[in-house]
């Protein structure tokens, strides 16, 4: 029950932060960062449910004419699976790499929904994506540290123990 409330609360919080920043014209995929963390800690099923909730929140509240968030979130969950299973990442500071990739991944999943203005969107939004990539590269290791500290006190699974849980799974 604690895990479900935790996921619901922080997914909603990340969506609210992302919508608030969008209202100021800033691009920061906060929901994608949380989904990356949640998919490794709680598994792809829980992350898939959180992705559906976040996609509904982002797309319906922002009035987007396209449902572009769900494919982007699926790509972020796939990136987290790849990172967990294929990359030897013992250091939290090495997570600047997926943190920097997440904004580009979300952005590339959004581009096909605007085929008539693809090149104008490509060049107009690229500076925002580069800045978001830099910020996410800094925020993902910080998020992992903060959420793992909180999870330890709550008795929930830790991100830093995900590889151990993966190898001990029958």
């Amino acid at each position: 029950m604690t895990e479900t409330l935790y996921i619901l609360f922080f997914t909603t919080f990340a969506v609210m932060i992302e919508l608030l920043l969008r209202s100021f014209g800033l691009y920061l995929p906060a929901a994608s960062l949380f989904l990356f963390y949640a998919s490794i800690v709680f598994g792809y099923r829980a992350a898939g449910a959180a992705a559906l909730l976040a996609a509904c929140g982002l797309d319906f509240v922002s009035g987007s004419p396209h449902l572009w968030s769900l494919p982007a979130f699926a790509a972020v969950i796939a990136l987290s699976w790849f990172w967990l299973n294929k990359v030897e990442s013992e250091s939290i500071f090495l997570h600047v790499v997926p943190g920097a990739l997440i904004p580009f991944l979300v952005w590339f999943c959004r581009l096909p929904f605007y085929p008539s203005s693809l090149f104008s969107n490509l060049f107009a939004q690229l500076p925002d994506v580069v800045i978001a990539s830099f910020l996410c590269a800094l925020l993902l290791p910080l998020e992992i540290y903060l959420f793992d500290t909180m999870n330890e006190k709550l008795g929930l699974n830790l991100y830093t123990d995900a590889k151990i849980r993966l190898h001990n799974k029958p």
Side-chain angles (χ1 to χ4, degrees), residues 72-85:
F73 292 153
V76 168
I77 292 171
L79 174 67
S80 69
W81 179 86
F82 176 79
W83 192 260
L84 177 64
N85 290 303

Side-chain angles (χ1 to χ4, degrees), residues 7-129:
I7 292 170
L8 285 173
F9 176 76
F10 283 110
T11 301
T12 306
F13 186 70
V15 167
M16 286 184 356
I17 287 174
E18 190 166 336
L19 287 172
L20 180 69
L21 291 174
R22 274 191 202 175
S23 70
F24 291 116
L26 301 173
Y27 171 67
L28 184 73
S32 298
L33 287 175
F34 178 71
L35 287 174
F36 182 87
Y37 178 83
S39 65
I40 289 181
V41 174
F42 302 114
Y44 69 91
R45 289 182 184 154
L52 185 61
L53 174 69
C56 288
L58 286 174
D59 293 336
F60 295 148
V61 173
S62 67
S64 175
H66 306 289
L67 297 175
W68 61 269
S69 295
L70 202 54
F73 292 153
V76 168
I77 292 171
L79 174 67
S80 69
W81 179 86
F82 176 79
W83 192 260
L84 177 64
N85 290 303
K86 302 294 182 188
V87 177
E88 292 298 325
S89 57
E90 297 298 326
S91 172
I92 290 179
F93 296 112
L94 189 59
H95 286 81
V96 297
V97 174
L101 289 176
I102 287 173
F104 284 103
L105 190 61
V106 172
W107 181 57
F108 281 127
C109 288
R110 184 192 310 186
L111 282 178
F113 289 101
Y114 303 102
S116 63
S117 59
L118 180 66
F119 289 110
S120 64
N121 279 336
L122 186 72
F123 294 114
Q125 295 175 355
L126 189 61
D128 292 337
V129 175

